[in-house]
Amino acid sequence: QLKLVNPSQYRFEHLVTQMKWRLQEGRGEAVYQIGVEDNGLLVGLSEEEMRASLKTLRRMAEKVGADITVLREREVDYDSDVPRKITEVLVRKVPDNQQFLDLRVAVLGNVDSGKSTLLGVLTQGELDNGRGRARLNLFRHLHEIQSGRTSSISFEILGFNSKGEVVNYSDSRTAEEICESSSKMITFIDLAGHHKYLKTTIFGLTSYCPDFAMLVVSANTGIAGTTREHLGLAMALKVPFFIVISKVDLCSKATVERTVKQLERILKQPGCNKLPLLVTSDDDAVTAAQQFAQSPNITPIFTLSSVSGENLDLLKVFLNILPPLTNSKEQEELMQQLTEFQVDEIYTVPEVGTVVGGTLSSGICREGENLVVGPTDDGKFLRLKVCSIQRNRSACRVLRAGQAATLALGPFDRSLLRKGMVMVSPEMNPTICSVFEAEIVLLFHATTFRKGFQVTVHVGNVRQTAVVEKIHGKDKLRTGEKAVVCFRFIKHPEYLKIGAKLLFREGVTKGIGHVTDLQAITTKENGLEESLGPGQLSF
């Protein structure tokens, strides 16, 4: 917008309608640049005009129920005596019916690079003591606290309210309070860095469908251990990532610069083709967030410390402005499809019964809805009822496509469930298969890859060992070769979709690809069964 000084009533209504539409497109967020002509010419406004324009913008925002925050101001060199400025303003709608923006960020990096500590500092709001105090609240198991190593997937939430202020666990807030007062939530998925837990890390990346990944690199060790592997995983799954160099308080400036140069060199390699952008000021952070979402080739790099708190604010500014990847139109199209929920976690909660956690990949799920879950070991689907839904630990009536949540299933027998199942609406008639074909690229293999070879296959939330039945057009594959391969699951059939991304590994063997064809098991065999009570099946 050029200027918004004292608009007429008709023009004001028109501007408000435009703002409503923009907020809907950006799922509750929009950035306005004031002092810029429609063709992108930087004109700038004088102090008085700028004040009047911001006042109008505030009035418009109030009308649609949003808040505004000034992101940054710039002076323009323009041939005039009066200094002219351009202002960027973030408009964010206060959420009604708890429709907050939800971004999922997976946290990757080598063991001991400071992933859990950084999340602890961001979500608890207090700095670390240098000996790992900040990460204690993130650990889920005793052995993690004792060894200081994450071995499971834990979730941490960080909220931003409509004014762009951080809402976290400081001031002893509970998770429900964070959800209530935030208009944007960032869910961090804390993954394991140790090589031993690689399968857990891959599962976290494939099944929780993160929007972005944050690769944490320790400034004093540089790129070591599983860093390259995690970088490769993010690239293979096409998850846009940004890099955080942690522990800068431990080492000299020269060491930090060396690590930055090392990263820049890797990112510019032909396989990566990324454009590194080192963030050193608030201005950079704003630019990085806007550019990062538009072109996935840009990789912002932050240098910070969880102990001294240096540059931590830049990361918060970046996360606050980071827009969602999908626009509202794509989400609405997904919501119109039939319900499909991926089961990633299964719990038993006292007085609630069986609870499943996961992501709704399409459709809408309401409390009290009847769905079917499967496939079981013999390829059947069982009926069940959704008793209640929780998102980020606070109750929720309706779940929309793309959101992660936990669903309570009441007295349903837990032993009938496993990770990798799907819950779908009964009229969907889901296709399940034991044998499928995929076009793959063999990334690394010690010898030749041939028929009869067993690998662990990851497709979304499915993780199972499969045998190579046939390689089309070739006898064997070597590193770097492409082929269409026929796989067969060795234990039970799974629900797959054509076009789904696929990762497989076995020891040092690794490969990526996508599913091209399924040999579906006919629907007569995959009959529905009634689940009467815990563990009783009627035939």
Side-chain angles (χ1 to χ4, degrees):
Q1 300 289 342
L2 181 54
K3 50 182 163 180
L4 309 163
V5 185
N6 296 334
S8 64
Q9 187 60 33
Y10 174 73
R11 166 102 174 116
F12 182 72
E13 292 296 332
H14 174 73
L15 285 168
V16 169
T17 315
Q18 194 181 11
M19 182 183 268
K20 255 188 195 160
W21 185 80
R22 286 210 172 132
L23 283 172
Q24 197 179 346
E25 272 297 281
R27 288 171 62 178
E29 287 188 338
V31 174
Y32 273 74
Q33 291 174 325
I34 301 174
V36 181
E37 281 198 19
D38 286 351
N39 59 6
L41 187 67
L42 307 176
V43 183
L45 299 179
S46 66
E47 190 82 13
E48 214 163 284
E49 290 177 323
M50 185 57 82
R51 210 177 298 128
S53 297
L54 284 175
K55 192 177 160 194
T56 310
L57 196 63
R58 207 163 268 124
R59 262 177 59 208
M60 285 159 55
E62 273 170 18
K63 187 109 180 171
V64 295
D67 275 335
I68 72 169
T69 357
V70 175
L71 293 178
R72 53 178 174 180
E73 287 186 343
R74 288 207 164 154
E75 291 209 354
V76 198
D77 300 332
Y78 204 62
D79 325 332
S80 75
D81 314 331
V82 193
R84 289 176 165 271
K85 283 185 176 172
I86 291 176
T87 309
E88 277 193 34
V89 184
L90 176 71
V91 183
R92 185 174 282 165
K93 191 162 162 42
V94 185
D96 30 276
N97 68 19
Q98 47 157 271
Q99 273 308 306
F100 46 79
L101 252 176
D102 195 10
L103 293 185
R104 289 195 287 274
V105 178
V107 186
L108 299 166
N110 189 28
V111 62
D112 300 336
S113 62
K115 296 183 292 297
S116 301
T117 302
L118 174 62
L119 292 194
V121 171
L122 284 173
T123 57
Q124 309 293 331
E126 41 185 84
L127 295 172
D128 187 49
N129 60 356
R131 291 191 299 280
R133 186 181 64 193
R135 65 184 181 198
L136 288 177
N137 296 338
L138 274 75
F139 287 155
R140 294 172 52 175
H141 300 292
L142 180 64
H143 68 257
E144 293 182 325
I145 294 172
Q146 287 162 346
S147 69
R149 284 192 182 151
T150 310
S151 68
S152 61
I153 300 173
S154 64
F155 294 90
E156 283 309 310
I157 52 176
L158 174 68
F160 291 97
N161 62 16
S162 47
K163 294 187 179 69
E165 296 156 354
V166 173
V167 184
N168 55 19
Y169 288 110
S170 57
D171 315 330
S172 65
R173 287 194 189 91
T174 60
E176 288 88 2
E177 286 167 357
I178 295 180
C179 292
E180 276 164 22
S181 45
S182 304
S183 52
K184 176 176 192 172
M185 295 281 296
I186 295 194
T187 308
F188 289 107
I189 307 168
D190 189 19
L191 302 170
H194 200 281
H195 201 277
K196 179 166 110 181
Y197 307 121
L198 185 68
K199 82 168 192 186
T200 309
T201 304
I202 294 181
F203 182 74
L205 268 178
T206 52
S207 71
Y208 292 112
C209 325
D211 299 301
F212 303 103
M214 173 163 86
L215 184 70
V216 184
V217 180
S218 158
N220 52 1
T221 53
I223 296 174
T226 46
T227 309
R228 283 170 197 268
E229 207 155 332
H230 286 180
L231 186 68
L233 284 174
M235 299 269 310
L237 293 165
K238 296 189 171 59
V239 179
F241 60 91
F242 57 96
I243 295 175
V244 171
I245 297 176
S246 64
K247 306 191 186 183
V248 294
D249 57 306
L250 281 182
C251 41
S252 63
K253 259 206 165 107
T255 317
V256 177
E257 278 169 19
R258 197 182 70 217
T259 306
V260 171
K261 285 209 167 62
Q262 193 185 6
L263 273 166
E264 287 179 342
R265 200 168 59 240
I266 279 196
L267 290 172
K268 287 175 180 169
Q269 278 175 359
C272 256
N273 276 340
K274 299 282 183 194
L275 197 74
L277 175 66
L278 189 63
V279 177
T280 50
S281 63
D282 277 3
D283 210 32
D284 289 351
V286 175
T287 314
Q290 291 170 356
Q291 295 296 330
F292 181 52
Q294 285 161 8
S295 74
N297 288 349
I298 287 179
T299 303
I301 300 178
F302 296 85
T303 53
L304 53 84
S305 159
S306 303
V307 175
S308 66
E310 184 187 334
N311 289 349
L312 211 56
D313 291 345
L314 298 185
L315 183 60
K316 288 177 184 166
V317 167
F318 174 78
L319 291 169
N320 176 28
I321 303 168
L322 200 57
L325 284 176
T326 55
N327 55 26
S328 50
K329 193 174 164 204
E330 287 172 29
Q331 198 200 13
E332 276 169 17
E333 282 173 7
L334 272 176
M335 277 160 53
Q336 282 158 6
Q337 295 170 11
L338 290 169
T339 309
E340 182 188 317
F341 181 86
Q342 295 187 350
V343 178
D344 297 333
E345 301 242 9
I346 302 155
Y347 319 93
T348 304
V349 179
E351 294 177 15
V352 179
T354 305
V355 174
V356 292
T359 313
L360 189 70
S361 39
S362 64
I364 290 181
C365 179
R366 295 183 177 81
E367 273 186 13
E369 196 156 339
N370 290 311
L371 300 173
V372 296
V373 68
T376 56
D377 290 357
D378 49 2
K380 294 194 168 61
F381 278 73
L382 312 169
R383 293 176 196 270
L384 52 79
K385 185 180 176 184
V386 178
C387 300
S388 64
I389 305 175
Q390 277 199 351
R391 257 185 89 196
N392 283 338
R393 308 186 182 105
S394 54
C396 155
R397 294 257 175 272
V398 182
L399 190 60
R400 292 172 170 80
Q403 297 177 345
T406 49
L407 313 181
L409 308 178
F412 194 82
D413 184 8
R414 177 183 172 163
S415 62
L416 298 170
L417 296 170
R418 60 180 167 79
K419 285 184 188 182
M421 281 186 161
V422 282
M423 287 164 52
V424 293
S425 59
E427 59 262 33
M428 189 159 172
N429 209 351
T431 51
I432 57 170
C433 66
S434 284
V435 179
F436 66 97
E437 285 182 3
E439 190 178 311
I440 62 157
V441 182
L442 199 58
L443 297 181
F444 182 76
H445 188 46
T447 54
T448 53
F449 180 86
R450 56 180 71 223
K451 186 184 166 183
F453 196 74
Q454 287 197 358
V455 288
T456 306
V457 174
H458 293 260
V459 188
N461 64 340
V462 169
R463 173 173 71 187
Q464 206 192 128
T465 305
V467 179
V468 176
E469 291 271 298
K470 187 180 175 191
I471 300 174
H472 291 282
K474 290 181 183 167
D475 291 338
K476 54 195 178 197
L477 278 183
R478 292 186 184 279
T479 302
E481 292 188 337
K482 251 187 179 179
V484 175
V485 175
C486 179
F487 289 103
R488 180 174 54 80
F489 285 126
I490 61 169
K491 257 181 93 180
H492 35 240
E494 297 280 9
Y495 170 82
L496 296 181
K497 280 182 171 167
I498 290 179
K501 289 194 197 88
L502 168 133
L503 273 173
F504 62 85
R505 53 175 188 86
E506 178 50 58
V508 287
T509 305
K510 281 181 203 70
I512 57 170
H514 60 270
V515 179
T516 54
D517 190 27
L518 308 172
Q519 292 189 16
I521 297 171
T522 56
T523 43
K524 276 179 190 160
E525 297 168 32
N526 118 33
L528 290 176
E529 290 184 357
E530 296 281 351
S531 172
L532 294 177
Q536 291 179 315
L537 295 179
S538 72
F539 292 96

